[in-house]
Amino acid sequence: MRVKMIVAYDGTNYKGWQVQPNGITIEEVLNKNLSNLLGEQIVVSGASRTDSGVHSLGNIAVFDTNTRMPADKIAFALNQRLPEDIVVQGSCEVEDGWHPRYQNSRKTYEYRILNRTFRMPTRRLDTYFYHYPLDVEKMKKAASYLEGEHDFKSFCAIGAQVKTTVRTIYACDVEKEGDIITIRVTGNGFLYNMVRIIAGTLVQVGGGAIKPEAVKGILAKKDRSAAGPTAPAHGLTMMGIEFENVE
Amino acid sequence: MRVKMIVAYDGTNYKGWQVQPNGITIEEVLNKNLSNLLGEQIVVSGASRTDSGVHSLGNIAVFDTNTRMPADKIAFALNQRLPEDIVVQGSCEVEDGWHPRYQNSRKTYEYRILNRTFRMPTRRLDTYFYHYPLDVEKMKKAASYLEGEHDFKSFCAIGAQVKTTVRTIYACDVEKEGDIITIRVTGNGFLYNMVRIIAGTLVQVGGGAIKPEAVKGILAKKDRSAAGPTAPAHGLTMMGIEFENVE
């Protein structure tokens, strides 16, 4: 059968999702522990191949297995074996061949900025510390221009190989609670580094270096150098993915 | 001059505040780095000697120094030297001999419980994971009986040496936001493990093992064994201390 799992992790101690030679990855830890649990070679495939340091509350992994363990029990059994910074949030059976990357979906990411004079040690791993005051109203306005279907080439890392840089952002909201500013973006797909470049650009808007209205021109230029810098990975969390048809 | 500092820390990697032989402590790290910064032997004294694993956003430390560095600049200079899990949030001069433990004050602690089916890796270090559903309304009601001046002997770790176990709790609120239940307690002082025993008791109330009204009887018994267990240290954060007269 094919199994779908929701995977949460603190990305601090991992070199991202995808197996690679320079360090331990989320995918690798899941493969190893699932293989040990189920007694067969398991290879997971992920919906979002998050970068080193990026966190997740709702990434999706799928894999095929011959086990007779009920699909919904796999999450509980696997969590007994996983390190404490990776926790599966549920598992279920899906149709053979179903894959999260080949489905219409709505992905949501949050980028969190800690905006205050002093760093806060308890939030150092999941927020980007930014010392200068940010104007949240300006950030909200700038974010609104990103909503809708646009060519996001200006918000894509240089060198990324994609057929098209057109994506739809269903919502891009900016909220402040205490000292933490959260940029929440939901879209039908994201280009490489897209949310981090959006965050880096909105920080420049909040600080006054870019006018909110200028975001329209940044989109129109279709040029990475028109947008702001790529904000650091550790402020980013993959929140979840909704699919049109899954079970 | 005497200097007062506000000290925030992630307590995960420390054996608590107070210098002790079995591991590194917050006090020790502050003493070492202040001594190096100011070129003289510095010994800090803390308001709240938090236990191993307890966090802080607003603990207070005082020390005497002959430095000519302005008191308010010490925080910035010290933060350059401190590890990233300890961050001073400000420093100022206070009267000679002023000490946070010998002042009337209002201390606030928060105890956070993550109440959901699966652990959440990004909040594993600052919340106590509790799997069974908790009834927040019952917890709120139970908490209300703790407010006011009471003998909190039932909520004090056995063997603690204190003149009196009478304390005043100005407010004990329970709030739920998403999956996180926060118990916020403000009082004129706290006995050893008092907030963690309150949290352990309120968890039993939320789970149905203790009726909210029973808290009155637990107080009246003046017996540690009448209250619930001591909740784990890592759910506790020292939020801040207000003084009647400081600068």
Side-chain angles (χ1 to χ4, degrees):
Chain A
M1 66 177 166
R2 176 153 276 213
V3 177
K4 164 182 168 275
M5 300 193 303
I6 300 169
V7 189
Y9 43 89
D10 173 344
T12 306
N13 298 317
Y14 297 93
K15 296 281 178 195
W17 176 272
Q18 203 162 15
V19 171
Q20 52 121 304
N22 315 327
I24 196 162
T25 64
I26 307 293
E27 197 176 49
E28 196 179 330
V29 173
L30 292 174
N31 287 345
K32 191 186 76 178
N33 286 285
L34 275 170
S35 298
N36 288 341
L37 173 68
L38 303 175
E40 58 182 327
Q41 191 66 39
I42 300 289
V43 179
V44 304
S45 183
S48 180
R49 287 164 287 191
T50 55
D51 278 339
S52 183
V54 173
H55 313 292
S56 163
L57 295 183
N59 205 348
I60 301 289
V62 288
F63 62 90
D64 293 314
T65 174
N66 299 312
T67 187
R68 279 194 272 176
M69 189 183 295
D72 63 316
K73 297 286 182 275
I74 293 176
F76 294 92
L78 182 58
N79 282 336
Q80 301 297 319
R81 296 168 175 261
L82 289 173
E84 61 177 12
D85 50 8
I86 305 179
V87 182
V88 175
Q89 305 287 305
S91 53
C92 64
E93 188 173 351
V94 287
E95 270 178 37
D96 277 347
W98 185 89
H99 195 290
R101 285 208 300 276
Y102 312 130
Q103 301 293 321
N104 289 330
S105 68
R106 298 164 69 96
K107 287 188 185 180
T108 299
Y109 284 90
E110 284 186 4
Y111 195 91
R112 296 192 198 99
I113 302 156
L114 181 67
N115 189 34
R116 65 203 299 271
T117 307
F118 292 99
R119 290 171 188 272
M120 201 191 283
T122 49
R123 297 305 296 271
R124 74 189 185 284
L125 302 177
D126 74 335
T127 62
Y128 165 43
F129 173 70
Y130 194 81
H131 170 270
Y132 298 103
L134 295 173
D135 184 327
V136 175
E137 292 310 312
K138 285 183 181 168
M139 294 171 75
K140 281 182 199 234
K141 186 158 189 192
S144 72
Y145 297 119
L146 297 169
E147 295 180 344
E149 185 182 87
H150 300 284
D151 187 333
F152 284 98
K153 195 169 181 206
S154 296
F155 293 88
C156 179
I158 287 166
Q161 304 283 326
V162 278
K163 281 185 211 156
T164 167
T165 46
V166 174
R167 294 290 184 278
T168 300
I169 290 190
Y170 302 115
C172 185
D173 298 312
V174 183
E175 298 292 341
K176 183 164 188 178
E177 206 183 311
D179 300 319
I180 295 178
I181 297 169
T182 301
I183 301 165
R184 188 179 168 92
V185 198
T186 301
N188 66 347
F190 291 91
L191 302 164
Y192 189 51
N193 281 171
M194 182 166 152
V195 181
R196 290 168 57 190
I197 299 169
I198 289 174
T201 305
L202 293 183
V203 166
Q204 292 212 325
V205 170
I210 299 177
K211 290 216 166 92
E213 296 75 17
V215 167
K216 288 184 279 191
I218 294 172
L219 280 168
K221 276 198 178 155
K222 300 179 191 173
D223 174 1
R224 172 67 189 90
S225 67
T230 306
H234 69 278
L236 185 62
T237 302
M238 198 307 113
M239 297 300 289
I241 309 174
E242 291 174 83
F243 300 98
E244 279 181 9
N245 304 299
V246 59
E247 279 126 299
Chain B
M1 67 176 168
R2 177 153 276 214
V3 176
K4 162 182 169 276
M5 300 193 305
I6 301 169
V7 189
Y9 44 88
D10 173 344
T12 308
N13 298 317
Y14 297 93
K15 295 281 177 195
W17 177 273
Q18 204 162 15
V19 172
Q20 52 120 305
N22 315 328
I24 197 162
T25 64
I26 308 292
E27 196 176 48
E28 196 179 328
V29 173
L30 293 174
N31 286 346
K32 191 187 77 177
N33 286 284
L34 275 169
S35 298
N36 288 341
L37 172 68
L38 302 175
E40 57 182 328
Q41 191 64 39
I42 301 288
V43 179
V44 304
S45 183
S48 180
R49 287 164 287 189
T50 54
D51 277 339
S52 184
V54 174
H55 314 292
S56 163
L57 295 183
N59 205 347
I60 301 288
V62 288
F63 62 91
D64 293 315
T65 174
N66 298 312
T67 188
R68 281 194 272 176
M69 189 183 294
D72 63 315
K73 297 285 182 276
I74 293 175
F76 294 92
L78 182 59
N79 282 337
Q80 300 298 319
R81 295 167 176 262
L82 289 173
E84 61 177 13
D85 51 6
I86 305 179
V87 182
V88 175
Q89 305 286 305
S91 53
C92 65
E93 189 174 349
V94 288
E95 270 179 38
D96 278 347
W98 185 89
H99 195 289
R101 284 207 301 274
Y102 311 132
Q103 302 291 322
N104 289 329
S105 68
R106 297 164 69 96
K107 289 188 184 180
T108 299
Y109 283 90
E110 284 186 7
Y111 194 93
R112 296 192 197 98
I113 301 155
L114 180 67
N115 189 33
R116 63 203 298 273
T117 308
F118 292 99
R119 290 172 187 272
M120 201 193 283
T122 51
R123 298 304 298 271
R124 73 189 185 284
L125 302 177
D126 73 334
T127 61
Y128 165 43
F129 173 70
Y130 194 81
H131 170 271
Y132 298 101
L134 295 172
D135 184 327
V136 176
E137 291 310 312
K138 284 184 181 167
M139 293 171 75
K140 281 183 200 231
K141 185 157 192 198
S144 72
Y145 297 119
L146 297 169
E147 294 180 345
E149 185 182 87
H150 300 285
D151 187 333
F152 285 97
K153 195 166 181 209
S154 297
F155 294 87
C156 179
I158 287 164
Q161 302 285 325
V162 279
K163 278 185 214 156
T164 166
T165 46
V166 174
R167 294 290 184 276
T168 300
I169 289 190
Y170 302 116
C172 185
D173 297 313
V174 183
E175 297 292 341
K176 183 164 188 179
E177 204 182 311
D179 299 319
I180 294 179
I181 297 169
T182 301
I183 300 166
R184 187 177 169 91
V185 197
T186 301
N188 67 346
F190 291 92
L191 301 164
Y192 190 51
N193 281 170
M194 182 166 151
V195 182
R196 289 168 56 191
I197 299 169
I198 289 174
T201 305
L202 293 184
V203 165
Q204 292 212 324
V205 170
I210 299 177
K211 289 215 166 92
E213 297 73 18
V215 167
K216 289 185 279 191
I218 294 172
L219 280 168
K221 276 199 179 156
K222 300 179 192 174
D223 175 2
R224 171 67 190 91
S225 68
T230 307
H234 69 278
L236 185 61
T237 302
M238 199 304 111
M239 297 301 289
I241 309 173
E242 290 175 83
F243 301 98
E244 277 180 10
N245 305 297
V246 58
E247 281 127 299

